[in-house]
Amino acid sequence: MILALLRRAGLVATAALLALLALATPAAAHGADAPDGTDYRTEATGLTPARPGLTVRAVEAGARLELVNRTGRDVEVIGYSGEPYLRVGPAGAYENSRSPATYLNRTLAGDTTLPPEADPAAPPQWRRIADEPRVRWHDQRTQWRESGPPAQAVADPTRTHRVRDWAVPVRDGAEQVEIRGTLDWVPPPDPYPWWVAATLGFLAVAGAGLVPAGSVAGDRALRAVGALLALGGAAAVVLVVGRELDAGAEGVGGVLSGLLSGQIWPLLTGLGALAAGGYALARRPAAADFALALSGACLALFAGVTNLGVLSRAVAPVPWPGQYARLLLLAVLIGGAGAVGAGILRLHAASRTAPAATTHTEVPA
């Protein structure tokens, strides 16, 4: 039975890895909309002149702007050539299919090929994109478009530098309004200490699997690994909730909708790690070892590996300082990978003990 569990653990871990690789391309495509991290901090400081009922903010680690219009009248965001680009008002949000910005802003890289109908001089053709008076979009005017960092950051990479103040024009009826904000380069963290901490934590947690099962010390080791796995699962849940909040989700309903539509795998693996950790705390050795290995592998892959960019980027896609996101990711990596190591070691030890016990069992004549 132990050998069967060990084989199943290997098969499931392999399946989880293949699933992660299969999802890598779609995830990378979506990552252009919500980066795992960046060294550029984009902030929207407000509208000039101010308009009651019209609000703006940067979301998704600064990758998009969000404009909410509760004025009761339509306003237009102006594109790169002075043409109407977006319209948002009581009837919802619309994009102008003749505006080049509609296509250039499909991705953060702005590398979409313009179709023949893209003509800023042509009359607008409005296409509804949302029912509510809210719109989100990439805007190249708020981003750093060069491949390398700005000159001032190269000259002094130890401190934050203001790259520029930016403005995005908006038309409110016949009046001109500007969304204003700032773009800063922020020194990235040194990922080496985080990797060292993750490695040492993994070795310490995995080493608990060497303590003989069935002993008092073995039971304590199992419970400790379960507690750390549960902690990693809780950290994963906090991370995915933070990503949804940073993406602009509002209220419990908005967060849940975002989680179920875009963060389902990290959410499920976090919750699964919490359940598996609780199962291990209940002292059910054989099944708990398998649960530790399985849920730990899923947690490390789906909630850990997919967020590794947080360790080397200054601005994380969460509404808190980057160091908090790195601490949460550290808990995910240590709890997940450590549980895999401990679970496999315990299963391996049990698989070797079972044949030995069978050999020494006397068969009655």
Side-chain angles (χ1 to χ4, degrees):
M1 179 179 178
I2 298 297
L3 285 173
L5 286 174
L6 188 59
R7 293 191 189 98
R8 287 169 60 193
L11 288 173
V12 175
T14 302
L17 178 59
L18 292 175
L20 179 66
L21 293 175
L23 291 171
T25 300
H30 184 70
D33 295 335
D36 292 331
T38 176
D39 296 328
Y40 297 91
R41 184 173 60 216
T42 300
E43 294 183 340
T45 56
L47 292 113
T48 303
R51 285 290 190 273
L54 197 61
T55 58
V56 65
R57 60 176 174 170
V59 298
E60 296 179 1
R64 293 181 192 263
L65 293 179
E66 178 191 75
L67 182 67
V68 180
N69 180 11
R70 304 196 184 281
T71 64
R73 59 185 182 274
D74 287 337
V75 299
E76 294 178 352
V77 178
I78 305 303
Y80 303 128
S81 299
E83 80 284 3
Y85 161 42
L86 297 169
R87 189 179 76 197
V88 59
Y94 297 78
E95 64 181 7
N96 176 13
S97 60
R98 306 304 296 273
S99 168
T102 292
Y103 307 96
L104 294 174
N105 294 346
R106 293 291 189 214
T107 66
L108 187 57
D111 52 3
T112 305
T113 301
L114 293 179
E117 62 266 25
D119 180 4
Q125 290 185 357
W126 296 108
R127 177 172 55 206
R128 183 194 290 268
I129 55 176
D131 295 331
E132 58 180 340
R134 181 192 310 267
V135 66
R136 296 173 185 165
W137 74 99
H138 297 304
D139 200 301
Q140 297 178 9
R141 291 163 288 201
T142 71
Q143 307 294 330
W144 177 249
R145 306 284 298 158
E146 306 299 327
S147 57
Q152 58 267 47
V154 174
D156 183 5
T158 62
R159 65 185 184 89
T160 300
H161 296 278
R162 174 61 46 83
V163 178
R164 65 171 176 267
D165 297 323
W166 51 263
V168 175
V170 174
R171 184 179 297 122
D172 182 6
E175 297 185 56
Q176 297 295 320
V177 182
E178 285 186 332
I179 302 172
R180 293 189 177 179
T182 58
L183 176 65
D184 295 326
W185 181 87
V186 184
D190 182 1
Y192 180 76
W194 296 98
W195 280 112
V196 170
T199 302
L200 294 177
F202 160 72
L203 292 175
V205 177
L210 298 173
V211 182
S215 64
V216 174
D219 289 342
R220 289 177 178 172
L222 177 64
R223 296 179 67 187
V225 174
L228 289 171
L229 177 62
L231 178 63
V237 172
V238 173
L239 265 178
V240 296
V241 169
R243 290 193 69 135
E244 285 307 313
L245 291 174
D246 186 66
E250 295 181 340
V252 175
V255 171
L256 287 176
S257 176
L259 290 174
L260 295 176
S261 61
Q263 298 283 336
I264 187 66
W265 286 113
L267 176 65
L268 288 179
T269 54
L271 295 175
L274 278 168
Y279 193 68
L281 287 170
R283 302 187 191 183
R284 305 182 184 273
D289 294 339
F290 173 68
L292 287 175
L294 174 58
S295 61
C298 292
L299 181 67
L301 288 172
F302 290 107
V305 173
T306 54
N307 288 296
L308 288 180
V310 168
L311 297 180
S312 57
R313 297 299 182 186
V315 180
V318 293
W320 325 296
Q323 60 265 31
Y324 296 139
R326 288 184 278 278
L327 286 171
L328 289 169
L329 181 59
L330 191 64
V332 170
L333 293 172
I334 291 175
V340 174
I344 289 178
L345 286 173
R346 288 173 63 92
L347 285 169
H348 181 65
S351 68
R352 297 181 61 184
T353 302
T358 303
T359 302
H360 290 88
T361 299
E362 295 184 3
V363 179

